[in-house]
Amino acid sequence: MVSTQDPCAQPTLLHPDDAIIQLLAQVDATNDSEVVDLSHAIGRVLAEDLTSGIDLPPFDNSAMDGYAFRFDDLDAQAQETHLTLVGSSFAGHPFSGKAQKNTCIRIMTGAPVPAGYDTVQMQEKCTANGEVICIGHPARKGANVRARGEELSAGTKVLYKGTQIRAAEMGVIATIGLSQIRVVRTIKVAFFSTGDELRPVGTELAPGQIYDSNRYSIQGLMAKANVEWIDLGVIRDDKEAIRAAFKDAASQADMVITSGGVSVGDADYTKQILSEEGQITFWKLAIKPGKPFAFGKLGKAVFCGLPGNPVSSMVTFYKLVWPILNKMQGLPNRAAITYQAKLTTAIRKQPGRVEYQRGVLTQNAHGELEVAVTGGQGSGMLTSMSIANCFINLAQFQADVEAGTIVNVEPFHSVLS
């Protein structure tokens, strides 16, 4: 009788959710910080709280183009009132006169509302006849006026330590007038590949050789990870060369990443040197693609050894290394956002490991989410990662899944999208 159990599954395999908890417990956030210009702050993490030194907005201003006036001048017995136009207020060019009874001024969006005037009516509800303006009555006093300090007052904390700077935060910081901010020092990551079979792209392959694709995939991941990456190239299968590469990487980086050489049956020097030069644990995870993963310390640097298969390397980076890098930068670990979608293609699965099948998530004509696998799911099929926009998350002890079943999908976040 053929077994339905995943042949790579073992009772000692660690669930990936448990693994990340244990991994993060062994990593500390850096305490180092630096001051950067706001223009270079995108993606960085605040190293201190930011407090506004001004009210926001800093003055009463108009929420739209129209006319500003005194609400008490409106005829309470009518639906509109005629007022005399006495000036204008534009952004950067405020009205310099004084508010007078039964008068109004032309005002543009964002322009200061002069002292004495308290309400604005949009221009679409007003009619101009020379200097006489017919104002349609607004519902209340203060309509269409953004009051000084209504968003926040001076002395209020605007952003907190540990906040990652996105486009919105860039705008907020600029709004309170800061040109420089203190952020967490950029994490440095060194990585390299090992193997005499690896050849640079653009060269001819001899029998038994392959192109070094993993290093380029990792380089792409690094570029999205808001870290400074150091590419140390390909290291030949020479014990002392590999040892020197590990020492070189650990001396200049906060994290060292390699791809390959962490499986039980690997016949190379990587594992031997790691055990001699660092404090490394070889993990067996209940994850597919993936399973072999190495983690520990090389000197002061964190070490992550990814599987050699291209998809396994990317998936373990995404699910395990990315959260570690986030913690090192002082960012919280957030659970992946998942959705439910109807599976349009059947999936074969053996119980025993959590599977992250590569999928394409779409929305049908009825607005329902649907997902299909990208085709072959082998851990060497890197094109499946290129086609996919999500993972189809299949539980550890789940078996085959029929088309039409509702499954959990995890859309790729920024590091893969």
Side-chain angles (χ1 to χ4, degrees):
M1 181 177 179
V2 178
S3 173
T4 58
Q5 180 76 14
D6 185 337
C8 292
Q10 303 166 17
T12 56
L13 294 185
L14 186 63
H15 193 284
D17 290 347
D18 297 328
I20 193 59
I21 292 172
Q22 294 187 35
L23 290 169
L24 292 177
Q26 300 179 57
V27 175
D28 296 319
T30 180
N31 291 319
D32 299 333
S33 64
E34 60 186 348
V35 175
V36 298
D37 290 340
L38 178 58
S39 59
H40 296 142
I42 194 72
R44 303 297 295 272
V45 179
L46 281 177
E48 60 186 7
D49 298 342
L50 293 185
T51 300
S52 177
I54 60 173
D55 294 329
L56 286 182
F59 48 81
D60 293 351
N61 70 91
S62 179
M64 55 189 59
D65 296 346
Y67 295 88
F69 50 89
R70 305 189 324 168
F71 186 81
D72 291 345
D73 287 340
L74 300 181
D75 184 351
Q77 304 304 314
Q79 293 184 338
E80 56 186 27
T81 298
H82 291 82
L83 300 175
T84 301
L85 182 68
V86 295
S88 62
S89 181
F90 292 83
H93 300 280
F95 176 65
S96 58
K98 294 183 179 181
Q100 302 176 34
K101 187 176 181 179
N102 296 325
T103 66
C104 66
I105 63 165
R106 184 80 166 101
I107 195 165
M108 298 290 106
T109 302
V113 177
Y117 293 117
D118 52 35
T119 306
V120 172
Q121 180 58 289
M122 67 178 66
Q123 61 186 16
E124 290 82 359
K125 293 186 177 182
C126 301
T127 303
N129 183 10
E131 293 183 352
V132 177
I133 310 299
C134 181
I135 306 289
H137 290 187
R140 60 178 179 82
K141 185 176 184 177
N144 304 318
V145 174
R146 303 174 182 134
R148 175 175 179 168
E150 98 177 359
E151 183 174 355
L152 57 89
S153 57
T156 302
K157 287 186 178 180
V158 182
L159 297 172
Y160 293 86
K161 178 180 179 179
T163 300
Q164 188 164 34
I165 306 301
R166 304 166 301 171
E169 285 76 17
M170 293 275 283
V172 169
I173 296 167
T175 299
I176 63 175
L178 297 181
S179 62
Q180 294 184 319
I181 56 174
R182 182 167 292 279
V183 296
V184 175
R185 174 182 60 79
T186 301
I187 300 300
K188 296 181 179 180
V189 181
F191 62 98
F192 60 88
S193 300
T194 62
D196 291 340
E197 79 281 10
L198 300 178
R199 296 292 297 161
V201 296
T203 61
E204 292 293 328
L205 292 178
Q209 293 182 333
I210 59 174
Y211 290 121
D212 179 25
S213 63
N214 281 10
R215 193 161 53 88
Y216 288 93
S217 295
I218 293 172
Q219 186 179 113
L221 295 167
M222 291 290 101
K224 290 284 193 77
N226 297 309
V227 300
E228 179 183 337
W229 45 271
I230 305 164
D231 184 359
L232 298 181
V234 178
I235 309 302
R236 68 185 189 277
D237 277 331
D238 176 86
K239 185 174 182 179
E240 294 311 313
I242 295 173
R243 187 189 305 276
F246 276 124
K247 288 183 176 181
D248 181 30
S251 69
Q252 59 181 312
D254 302 291
M255 175 183 282
V256 177
I257 294 178
T258 61
S259 180
V262 296
S263 296
V264 173
D266 284 334
D268 56 36
Y269 302 117
T270 303
K271 291 167 65 177
Q272 177 185 348
I273 294 169
L274 285 172
S275 64
E276 294 172 355
E277 299 294 336
Q279 299 174 341
I280 309 298
T281 302
F282 295 90
W283 301 55
K284 297 178 182 178
L285 307 179
I287 182 176
K288 183 178 180 181
K291 188 182 176 184
F293 181 77
F295 177 80
K297 291 290 186 69
L298 280 172
K300 295 182 178 180
V302 173
F303 174 79
C304 292
L306 308 181
N309 283 318
V311 179
S312 300
S313 178
M314 293 192 72
V315 170
T316 49
F317 181 98
Y318 186 89
K319 302 299 293 185
L320 301 174
V321 178
W322 176 271
I324 294 171
L325 287 172
N326 280 345
K327 182 170 183 183
M328 293 174 72
Q329 297 177 76
L331 292 170
N333 181 42
R334 294 188 174 95
I337 296 175
T338 59
Y339 300 91
Q340 291 194 318
K342 182 184 293 185
L343 185 64
T344 61
T345 50
I347 294 177
R348 295 183 61 186
K349 181 185 183 297
Q350 295 176 313
R353 288 190 286 173
V354 176
E355 288 196 18
Y356 298 105
Q357 299 238 352
R358 279 73 71 202
V360 177
L361 180 65
T362 57
Q363 192 173 46
N364 64 25
H366 303 291
E368 302 166 330
L369 293 178
E370 295 181 336
V371 66
V373 294
T374 57
Q377 296 290 301
S379 58
M381 296 181 175
L382 193 54
T383 53
S384 68
M385 291 295 293
S386 175
I387 298 168
N389 63 5
C390 69
F391 289 125
I392 303 171
N393 294 350
L394 303 178
Q396 183 173 3
F397 298 106
Q398 186 170 348
D400 293 346
V401 188
E402 299 296 327
T405 302
I406 301 299
V407 294
N408 290 324
V409 296
E410 179 184 341
F412 291 162
H413 60 58
S414 59
V415 76
L416 284 178
S417 62

